[in-house]
Every structure is written in structure tokens, then in C-alpha cells.
Amino acid sequence: MNSDDVRREFVRYFQAQGHVHLPSASLVVHDDPSVLLTAAGMQPFKPFYLDPARAPARRLVTIQRCMRARGLDDDTTAVGDDTHHTFFEMLGNFAFGDVGAGGYFKKEAIAFGYEFVTQRLGLAPERIWATTWAGEPGIPADDEAIHLWKAVGLPADRIRPLNRKPEGGRENFWGPTGDSGPCGPCSEIHVDLLGRCPLGASEGECGPDHGCGRIVEIWNLVFNQYYREPEGTLRPLERTGVDTGAGLERIVALLQGVPSAYESDLLRPIVREAEGLLDAPYGEDPVVTRSLRIVVDHARAVTFMIGDGVFPSNAERGYVARRLLRRAVRYGRLLGREGPFMGRLARATIERFAPHYPHLKDRQPVIERVIAEEEARFSQTLAAGLQLLNGELDRLARSGEGVLPGATAFRLYGTYGFPVELTEEVAAGRGFTVDTPGFASELQAARRRSQGGSRFSKLEELDLPAVAVRFEGYERLSVGDARVEYLRQGGERVATALAGDPRPGPTSNGTTAQGPAETPAPPAHGAALNAEGSGVGDEVWLVLDRTPFYAERGGQVGDVGWIVGPHGRFSVRTTQAPVGDVVVHIGQVVEGYLAEGETVRAEVDAATRQATMRHHTATHLLHAALRAELGPHVHQTGSLVTPERLRFDFSHGEALTPLQRQAVQGRVNEAIRRNLDVRTDVLPVEEAMRSGAIALFDERYSDAVRVLSIGDVSKELCGGTHVRHTGELGTFLVIEEGSVGSGTRRVEALAGAAAEAYVNRQLERLDALGRTLDVPTEQVPGRVIRLLGELTEVRRRLEHAERKAAQQGLHAVLGQAQEVAVRNGSFKVLAAEVDRDSAPTLERLREVADWLRDKLGGPSVLLLATRSDAGPQLLAAVSKDLTAQGLHAGKLLNEVARAIGGRAGGRPELAQGGGGDASKLADGLERGRRAAQAQASGEGA
């Protein structure tokens, strides 16, 4: 059976058992922040195990594209053997809920699995083994599964209960994918490849857990009856379910009798393409074969990742794509390939898999372009990075050390784009390890530095109180009875924060000034608690027990406003949440003083908050419009929401066309005109995910989350503040769109009053331009185009006139040409300085050389110089027939350059140079002329 046969038979069999066939979901998991990429066939169906009623059917069958490539402990380092892949396809059948409701459980799952492998795949029953869950404290053994395997005809001696892998960890207890989700005991179906143990163990000793390679697993049947909470506890599911997974690659290799999928029809076409591109035969040398396997595996993985909108970057999913692509490039270099090759492998991958995944063909131009850009970027630095790494390893070897410092690994990462895994792999190949904790420390320090000296870079020094600040800013913009819990001024905690500086000090005229007379005197203990010389009047951090001020998070900037106490007034310039739920108001005391323990009134600036909310709601509409217009691969990678504007970063591989930009803007404005309700619901995170809300993949959410719904247009998890109806946005305007990195685009936009003001400014500029050009505003573009055409024509005529004038002055230069006689004829040598007006630039000097050569006619050598503000400019030109006789422009010009202390170089026909002492040009040109005569007569090199 070929791979197409296996796909077809699997789907048909389970359709006959009442399963609905669904297409593969994307590799990108948009609604489950606990994972980066789809790692199993059940990943898209996690919500259905909690609520089977939400499933499109109680029985499903899929062939799901999957990725397992997270870090150093993933399948990446094992790729190259017979069984491990980063990208793979998983055959899966799924059931949600009890048998009576259309689902099924262990009995049916085991019967289906056994029947399919023996009757549809044709594997002999005597070759089939099964494993079951052996149990551990708190999770009983799955004796029911043993009974059910016996019921389908499997002998007891080929059923093995297991609960520990050799390296530790649960065996035959599966899940969840991510840090929470459905899980439960499982049974694995194994196939006996050899018939007896290759190590000579008895039948009782040998088995699926023996590790001798005789018996391999092909299918895992998971019986979901628990739900694992994020903290690790298990709770029984109200309704059970079934989740199975069989690797297509392993089954195809088994059925075709080959060692791995690389020799099967599934991957062999891509392997052949790699052999030709890398000029490396597959299957002859184990090292070469492993390298080819790695290149093919990673090329397939990266092609599918980019096809699903994951573009190479230094963060999260993008980092997985980047390190796989760069690892493949490195192995290609090890095989001797210097030029690009990954694009051709991507094309071969698309040709092989597009019949099953048509989206690859649709997105082929984007895939190939992104791969070409990333490969070129890495190729430019690979050689330099490897040179640095190997040089450092040589140094360590000479000193007898065996560990590469973390600082070196970080320099390779930051300067040369080396994933730390690649550095570890190169180091391990030479017997070294890498100080990964040191690398992590350097990375963390760099991130702190990139924050530009954030005021919260040293949280442990803040001495913040353990106050559970109650945020009331969703409901109101002012709170009249908040309590001051914490004050910090001049870099230290204080009991009283003061306005101005009450301490006497010199004024500009030398007299002594006092603090403002209207400032109330602070209580006596206030001055004592402020340290001597502290920054009274400096930036103040203030914490209240309850506040309407929104602290900066999720891309939305912090609120501004006022906090007023019985003795003073505090201006809030920004609001931050440096740690936990503590909200810090940052600003200055502008009148009097504030003291810890006082009751104050906190009031958010309403106009600023309203403008911010308009832009935040507009951001959600923009996200929805981009996904609708460009495709579901679009997801948010960053945002900034301010009162003045919004900035939105998203995954997409190419610039928006003008039509796409207009369409996105139009979708948002249409939603505004519909005046949709903007509703926020607080839901348990599991229920929020089940509702279809989009979550940011790199966010970690609490048990209860806020779900923002905008009509039928958008539903996302968001803790920010928003308008109540989209009509409050007024209008929406995209003002800029561009790239901010490989595979990431950025849109900047305006909403409400900010958009209106922008349009008014543009109209004012257009009106002013119309008045200047003395035409109506609608005629301005045409008038500007005509003026530019006229200007171009004027410039062309002026340049022509300048050249004609310069040529008139060159006739005197022509008179300096000298005839040089040689054995088989003669040629002319012209060594001269050209007037600066005739050749103000090196480009014009080349034009002068062409004109002089035409005027001289016949074979010639030109050695020309001109003076510029940057110093002398030099040029040499030699006729082709003279280069055949040994004359070389680069060598001749070098003689001139050496004489004046400059530099020169070039080809036999043409060379250029510059620099040095302009006062020595005459001597240098004469030296060049003599060198031309010497070369022609065979006296010089």
C-alpha cells in the first residue's frame, strides 16, 4: 500500500463506523495558549471532551498535520533516525461522550483498532501486540482494557501492562497537550517486525518495552476520562471520550517494508530532490544519509509552518521555524552546498503534498519568498558565526576546558542569529557542552537592557505592599474614598510626598528662595520620614487600595488623571502594574502633599481614556478585518493602544496591496456604521475557549477571563477598556502599513477625533498646495505630475549642456596624448588631470574617459585624475586589444595611487581609485605613463 492508499482506507473505514471526516486543522493553535503548535490530532477538539454537544459530530476522523519541536528535549535532536520527525501526519479517530449519545469508549476503540490493522492494513494477527496502563498510586490500572484485548482475540502473552518509560515518566497514560486538558490511560498497538529478539532474550523477557527494536508502536488509543488542571491535579470527566493517533510515516514505512518514511513514496521524491541539489547520494554513507534526512524533514516542516502563517522570527512559534530552517541550511553546508537550496526543497514539498493540502499551492509564492529571505539572511552570517564558534572551541581545547561560556553562545545568538540549539549541536560534535544557564542569564539581561532602563527593572527593590488593589475602572472613572497605601519619592519609600522643594536653596541671582507660601506645611513626622536630601518634588509612585486607573498592559497605555487629597493634588502621568495586581500611579505632587493612610479622590482624565478606548476597540475590529481579508493565518504578535493612535503587529508574509488595505479599512468602517454592541463577559477560561474566543498564544490567563464580543464580527480574550458601541469610534483610518521583521507586518491607524484631525490636516495641506500651484484642489495631482515632468526635462537639458561645455574644455586634454611605439605597431597613452568642472564625480570621470577614448581612436591607455572635496579621484582604461598584450589597468593605476599615497584596483580593462595627496598628481600620472610603456615593451609586470 502506498501512502495514498493508507489515507483512503483509514478515512473510509471509520466513515463506515459512523465517523464524520474533517479536514486537517492549521498548525497554529489560535484558541489554546497552553501550546504553540498543533502537536496531536485531538488538539483542535479539546473543548469537545468537556462539552460533547459542541462537537460537529460525536464521532470524527481526521488526518491532522502536526509539529513536535519545542526545545532541546523535543524530537528535533533525534531527527535523522528511522522514526523521529518534527512534522508528521497523524491518523486519528475520535469519540465524544457516552455510547448512548453517539460516542464510544474502550470496547469500540479497541475493536476498531484491531480490525483496521489486521483486515484493512493486512497485518498478520500473530504480529500484533498491545500495551495497557499498569497503574500507579491514585490512578488505578486499566484491567478493563486487558479484558477487551483478549475479547478481540489477542493472546494474554502479547498484552503488556506498562507504566514507566526507561527514562522515567508515564507510559500508557497520555496527555494532555499543553499544560491542561483531557487525558487518561491508553493502549498502544505494536507490530512485531522480527519474530524473535535480536538480543537473544526469551519470549517472556522480550516485549514492547525491551528496547531491542523488534517490536514497534504504530497506534495509540487514548481513553480520556480525566481532566488535568494547570497545577497538575486530575479530576474525572463528566463524559468520557476517545482520542487515537497513528503516525502515517511509520505505518507507510512498515507496509512498504522500508526502514523509514524517507525511503517510502511519502518522502522519497523530496529526498531525490535533496540528493540532486546537495550532490550527496542517499543510503551509502550513514553520516550523509542522516544529514539528508535532517534537511528533508526540516524543509517539509518549515514549508508547512509558513503555509500556516508561522514566519521565522526570534519568538515562540517563529523561533521554531527559524531554528529548523537554519539547522537545515547548516547541514546543507556540511554536505558542501554553498548556494541557496531550501526554496527548491520547499517547491518539491509543495508538489508532493499539495494534492492533500491545497493551501500549500495557493501560498507557494509567499512560502518560497520567506524561505529565500531567511536562508539568504542566515547564509550571510553562517560562515562568520562558525568561524567564531570554532575559534572559541579551539581556544578551549588548548586550555583543557570543556564548556563553552554562555556569553559566547549569546553573542552567536544575538550577532549571528545562531539558535542556541545549533551552537550546542556544533559544540557537542567536538566534545564540548554549552553553559545554557549562562546563556539564559545573558538573554534575560539583554531583554532588561532593551526595555531602556524601565523604572521597574528591579522589582525586588520596590518594597511594594502586599495590597490587593481593587480595580474599578471598568465601571467608573472616579473613586471618591480611596486610601493611600504606599508612597515612593526620590527613589525610596516615604510617609509623605511633597510638592516642589521646601528646602532653602540659591536662586539664579544668589539670594535664598523659600518654598511656595501657599503650600500647606506637612505634619511634623513627614519631614522626619523623608530621608535627608531625598528628591522632594521628584517622580512619585503611589498605590491606592482601590482605583479607577487602568494600568498599562495588553498593549493599552496606562491612564492619566488626578488624585486629590485633603492637603494636596497629585498629577498621574501614567499607571503601571509592575508586579501582580498592584497598580502604581506615577506622576508628581503638584500642590501641597499626600500622606500614607489618607483618603483621597482618584479621577481618570475622561477625554484621554475615551480616546484610548476608541483605539482599543478599533484594534479588535482591525484584527478581525485582517483575518477576514487575508486569511486565518493572521494573528496578533504585538500592539500599542494610545489616545493618539493604535499600532498593530500581525503575522503575514507580504505587504498589503492598495486594494487589500482599502478592503481592511472598509470592513472596520462598516462595523462602525453598524453601531454594533460591544459586550464584555467574565467567564471561566475553559468556557471562554469553548465559546470560540481568540486568545493570544503567548499569554497565560487566569481562571476567569474577560471575553470581548463585538457583534458578530469579533470575539477575543481582552482585559482592556472599550467603548459600548462601535458607532462611538466615528471613523477609522489606516495611515501606514509596513514590515517589522520576517513574516511580520505592522499597521498604524487612527480612530475617532484623531482620525478626523488627521484628515483635516491633510486637507489643509492639499488646499495650501492648490493655492501655491494656483489650481483647484482636485487638479493638484495632475499639476504636480506635469511639473515633475517639466523639471525632469529641464534637468536633462541642463546636464546635456554641462556635458557639452565640459567636452569643449577637454580638447586641451586630448593634446597631451603621446604615441608609444611597440614591435607590432603603436598605441596612445593619455595621462592627464581633468578639470573639476568637467568631472566633478567619479561617474562623470568615466563618461569623460569614454569621450576621450572615442576621440583618440584606435588602441589607447587612459590614466585620468580629478580633484573633489573627498580628495583625488583616479581612473584607468585600457583597450581590449592591449590587455591581450599584457597591459593591465588595475596595475597601472596602482602605480599612480602609490605615488600620491592613495589606493586603487580593478580589472585589466578598467580600474578606479582615490585618496592621497593631490599636489603629487602630476608625478603620479607620469609614473603611470612610464609604467604603461614598460608593460607594453615587456619590461614591467
Side-chain angles (χ1 to χ4, degrees):
M1 298 176 71
N2 64 29
S3 57
D4 289 344
D5 296 330
V6 175
R7 295 177 194 273
R8 184 170 50 252
E9 286 300 316
F10 185 77
V11 171
R12 285 179 178 175
Y13 174 81
F14 281 100
Q15 284 179 323
Q17 313 306 322
H19 292 64
V20 173
H21 177 217
L22 293 183
S24 171
S26 170
L27 287 173
V28 177
V29 186
H30 289 296
D31 55 357
D32 186 353
S34 66
V35 294
L36 289 180
L37 297 159
T38 300
M42 64 82 66
Q43 186 75 55
F45 308 140
K46 284 173 65 173
F48 303 160
Y49 291 99
L50 295 174
D51 185 3
R54 291 192 59 226
R58 292 302 177 95
R59 299 184 179 194
L60 298 176
V61 58
T62 66
I63 302 175
Q64 174 64 45
R65 52 191 188 269
C66 299
M67 278 290 301
R68 289 185 183 167
R70 298 173 299 278
L72 295 178
D73 58 346
D74 61 24
D75 288 348
T76 306
T77 53
V79 167
D81 65 5
D82 289 344
T83 58
H84 288 86
H85 301 275
T86 53
F87 173 90
F88 60 97
E89 296 178 86
M90 183 174 283
L91 311 174
N93 58 286
F94 310 91
F96 314 104
D98 302 326
V99 177
Y104 57 85
F105 202 45
K106 297 178 185 179
K107 177 181 178 181
E108 294 81 3
I110 288 174
F112 291 156
Y114 186 74
E115 183 178 42
F116 181 76
V117 298
T118 56
Q119 296 186 24
R120 293 300 181 96
L121 296 185
L123 297 175
E126 59 268 20
R127 298 177 65 191
I128 303 302
W129 290 62
T131 58
T132 64
W133 170 242
E136 65 178 28
I139 312 177
D142 195 357
D143 296 331
E144 180 186 6
I146 296 176
H147 170 75
L148 292 170
W149 278 114
K150 291 178 181 178
V152 299
L154 202 62
D157 61 351
R158 281 192 270 125
I159 305 171
R160 294 287 175 88
L162 298 176
N163 68 349
R164 288 291 172 188
K165 294 181 180 180
E167 68 274 16
R170 289 188 174 117
E171 180 85 22
N172 287 86
F173 191 95
W174 187 257
T177 55
D179 55 11
S180 63
C183 58
C186 61
S187 275
E188 293 178 336
I189 299 176
H190 299 253
V191 178
D192 189 344
L193 298 180
L194 305 176
R196 61 179 182 273
C197 180
L199 302 180
S202 67
E203 285 297 291
E205 294 173 331
C206 192
D209 59 334
H210 191 233
C212 62
R214 166 191 171 188
I215 300 170
V216 297
E217 176 230 333
I218 61 167
W219 203 348
N220 190 9
L221 315 178
V222 181
F223 310 124
N224 284 313
Q225 59 191 82
Y226 301 102
Y227 190 91
R228 179 179 293 167
E229 304 291 355
E231 67 274 12
T233 60
L234 297 177
R235 60 175 170 85
L237 284 171
E238 295 180 12
R239 292 170 289 271
T240 58
V242 170
D243 153 30
T244 82
L248 176 64
E249 289 78 4
R250 190 173 295 185
I251 288 177
V252 169
L254 172 69
L255 295 177
Q256 295 180 13
V258 293
S260 74
Y262 298 101
E263 293 85 10
S264 75
D265 76 295
L266 193 65
L267 292 180
R268 185 59 188 162
I270 310 175
V271 171
R272 282 197 294 267
E273 183 72 14
E275 284 183 290
L277 285 171
L278 302 176
D279 192 23
Y282 181 89
E284 297 180 6
D285 181 281
V287 175
V288 172
T289 298
R290 178 175 180 270
S291 296
L292 283 169
R293 286 179 170 185
I294 290 170
V295 168
V296 168
D297 172 274
H298 292 2
R300 179 173 66 149
V302 170
T303 299
F304 271 89
M305 291 181 77
I306 297 174
D308 278 344
V310 179
F311 300 100
S313 71
N314 274 344
E316 302 291 349
R317 287 179 286 207
Y319 182 69
V320 176
R322 170 161 287 174
R323 72 185 180 89
L324 290 181
L325 193 151
R326 293 187 170 190
R327 191 168 188 257
V329 171
R330 175 178 173 265
Y331 274 92
R333 297 294 186 270
L334 291 177
L335 292 173
R337 175 76 181 200
E338 293 301 324
F341 63 92
M342 289 293 287
R344 293 273 298 276
L345 292 182
R347 196 173 310 151
T349 300
I350 293 169
E351 290 172 1
R352 178 65 189 87
F353 287 95
H356 306 290
Y357 302 99
H359 72 286
L360 293 177
K361 197 68 177 176
D362 297 338
R363 300 171 187 172
Q364 182 169 347
V366 174
I367 294 170
E368 291 189 11
R369 183 178 57 78
V370 170
I371 286 178
E373 290 175 356
E374 181 69 15
E375 184 176 11
R377 186 179 294 112
F378 185 52
S379 296
Q380 291 171 355
T381 59
L382 178 61
L386 286 174
Q387 183 177 5
L388 184 150
L389 175 56
N390 285 312
E392 182 65 14
L393 295 176
D394 290 341
R395 185 190 66 78
L396 294 173
R398 289 192 297 270
S399 61
E401 300 176 56
V403 180
L404 183 76
T408 303
F410 177 75
R411 184 147 69 101
L412 286 163
Y413 170 82
T415 305
Y416 298 99
F418 268 46
V420 67
E421 295 87 353
L422 179 56
T423 300
E424 289 187 306
E425 191 170 308
V426 174
R430 295 189 52 181
F432 292 88
T433 60
V434 176
D435 174 19
T436 49
F439 170 83
S441 177
E442 292 283 340
L443 180 61
Q444 186 177 8
R447 286 173 175 166
R448 285 197 301 268
R449 289 193 298 270
S450 72
Q451 294 170 356
S454 167
R455 56 173 60 88
F456 298 122
S457 60
K458 296 183 178 180
L459 298 181
E460 68 278 5
E461 298 179 5
L462 291 184
D463 186 28
L464 286 171
V467 178
V469 179
R470 189 164 74 250
F471 174 62
E472 301 180 7
Y474 293 127
E475 301 83 16
R476 57 184 61 87
L477 294 182
S478 65
V479 171
D481 54 351
R483 173 185 166 88
V484 178
E485 299 286 350
Y486 172 89
L487 287 167
R488 186 179 184 88
Q489 187 175 33
E492 60 185 43
R493 185 171 183 178
V494 296
T496 303
L498 308 176
D501 190 343
R503 291 171 287 121
T507 64
S508 58
N509 60 7
T511 62
T512 299
Q514 302 293 330
E518 66 274 14
T519 301
H525 67 273
L529 288 173
N530 281 282
E532 178 73 24
S534 68
V536 178
D538 288 347
E539 181 178 81
V540 173
W541 302 348
L542 183 151
V543 177
L544 303 175
D545 65 339
R546 51 198 293 254
T547 181
F549 285 80
Y550 181 84
E552 180 175 327
R553 60 168 66 87
Q556 178 176 332
V557 298
D559 279 333
V560 301
W562 298 92
I563 296 175
V564 181
H567 305 103
R569 184 177 177 89
F570 179 74
S571 173
V572 182
R573 291 188 290 103
T574 185
T575 309
Q576 304 282 326
V579 59
D581 295 325
V582 178
V583 176
V584 180
H585 310 81
I586 300 171
Q588 286 184 312
V589 180
V590 295
E591 296 177 13
Y593 66 88
L594 271 72
E596 288 188 358
E598 284 186 336
T599 298
V600 297
R601 177 180 179 81
E603 186 166 340
V604 174
D605 183 276
T608 304
R609 164 74 83 84
Q610 187 68 22
T612 303
M613 292 195 300
R614 290 192 190 100
H615 283 121
H616 202 160
T617 304
T619 298
H620 287 258
L621 292 176
L622 173 62
H623 191 189
L626 288 167
R627 287 171 62 84
E629 190 64 31
L630 305 178
H633 65 277
V634 169
H635 63 271
Q636 177 182 340
T637 60
S639 70
L640 174 66
V641 179
T642 75
E644 296 81 21
R645 64 188 175 99
L646 71 86
R647 187 182 72 207
F648 187 77
D649 298 344
F650 61 98
S651 59
H652 189 59
E654 55 192 347
L656 272 64
T657 66
L659 288 178
Q660 287 174 327
R661 177 168 164 168
Q662 291 173 15
V664 168
Q665 182 172 286
R667 286 179 181 273
V668 175
N669 281 309
E670 174 62 22
I672 293 172
R673 287 190 292 271
R674 290 171 62 192
N675 198 26
L676 301 170
D677 287 339
V678 181
R679 190 185 74 252
T680 299
D681 299 303
V682 180
L683 301 174
V685 66
E686 296 169 10
E687 184 178 344
M689 296 300 189
R690 290 199 302 270
S691 74
I694 295 177
L696 295 182
F697 73 90
D698 55 353
E699 283 285 332
R700 293 295 179 262
Y701 296 98
S702 57
D703 293 338
V705 294
R706 296 176 65 84
V707 179
L708 182 80
S709 301
I710 307 178
D712 56 356
V713 173
S714 171
K715 180 181 280 190
E716 297 187 62
L717 271 58
C718 181
T721 61
H722 294 271
V723 300
R724 297 186 183 278
H725 301 89
T726 58
E728 297 176 46
L729 272 60
T731 190
F732 174 83
L733 192 64
V734 174
I735 60 172
E736 192 171 335
E737 189 272 338
S739 172
V740 288
S742 178
T744 303
R745 308 295 299 178
R746 170 173 291 173
V747 165
E748 299 202 26
L750 305 172
E756 183 180 346
Y758 179 85
V759 171
N760 287 337
R761 287 195 301 272
Q762 298 299 93
L763 290 174
E764 289 172 2
R765 290 169 183 150
L766 187 59
D767 288 342
L769 189 56
R771 290 192 298 271
T772 301
L773 298 175
D774 195 23
V775 295
T777 54
E778 63 269 17
Q779 295 180 18
V780 165
R783 180 63 174 145
V784 169
I785 291 172
R786 286 196 299 275
L787 285 174
L788 288 175
E790 294 171 5
L791 180 60
T792 300
E793 177 61 19
V794 168
R795 285 175 173 168
R796 186 188 66 78
R797 291 178 179 178
L798 180 60
E799 290 177 0
H800 180 72
E802 288 176 347
R803 286 188 174 90
K804 292 290 290 183
Q807 290 167 7
Q808 294 299 320
L810 291 175
H811 287 287
V813 175
L814 280 172
Q816 300 179 42
Q818 298 182 16
E819 192 87 14
V820 176
V822 290
R823 286 190 298 271
N824 56 351
S826 65
F827 65 92
K828 292 179 179 178
V829 176
L830 175 56
E833 182 177 344
V834 179
D835 183 76
R836 179 171 177 166
D837 291 337
S838 299
T841 65
L842 193 58
E843 181 181 357
R844 290 288 292 274
L845 189 62
R846 283 194 291 269
E847 294 178 4
V848 166
D850 292 339
W851 187 85
L852 291 171
R853 185 163 47 195
D854 290 342
K855 294 297 182 184
L856 288 173
S860 63
V861 173
L862 299 178
L863 297 170
L864 304 178
T866 188
R867 305 180 188 224
S868 71
D869 292 338
Q873 302 285 326
L874 307 175
L875 185 135
V878 176
S879 300
K880 284 188 177 180
D881 46 357
L882 294 179
T883 61
Q885 299 179 32
L887 274 77
H888 192 290
K891 294 179 180 178
L892 291 175
L893 200 61
N894 249 324
E895 295 293 328
V896 181
R898 278 200 295 268
I900 68 172
R903 299 180 65 182
R907 306 186 307 275
E909 299 91 352
L910 185 69
Q912 62 188 44
D917 186 351
S919 65
K920 299 180 179 179
L921 276 176
D923 292 340
L925 291 169
E926 175 59 24
R927 183 171 174 175
R929 187 190 63 77
R930 291 197 301 269
Q933 290 179 315
Q935 283 190 19
S937 62
E939 299 174 6

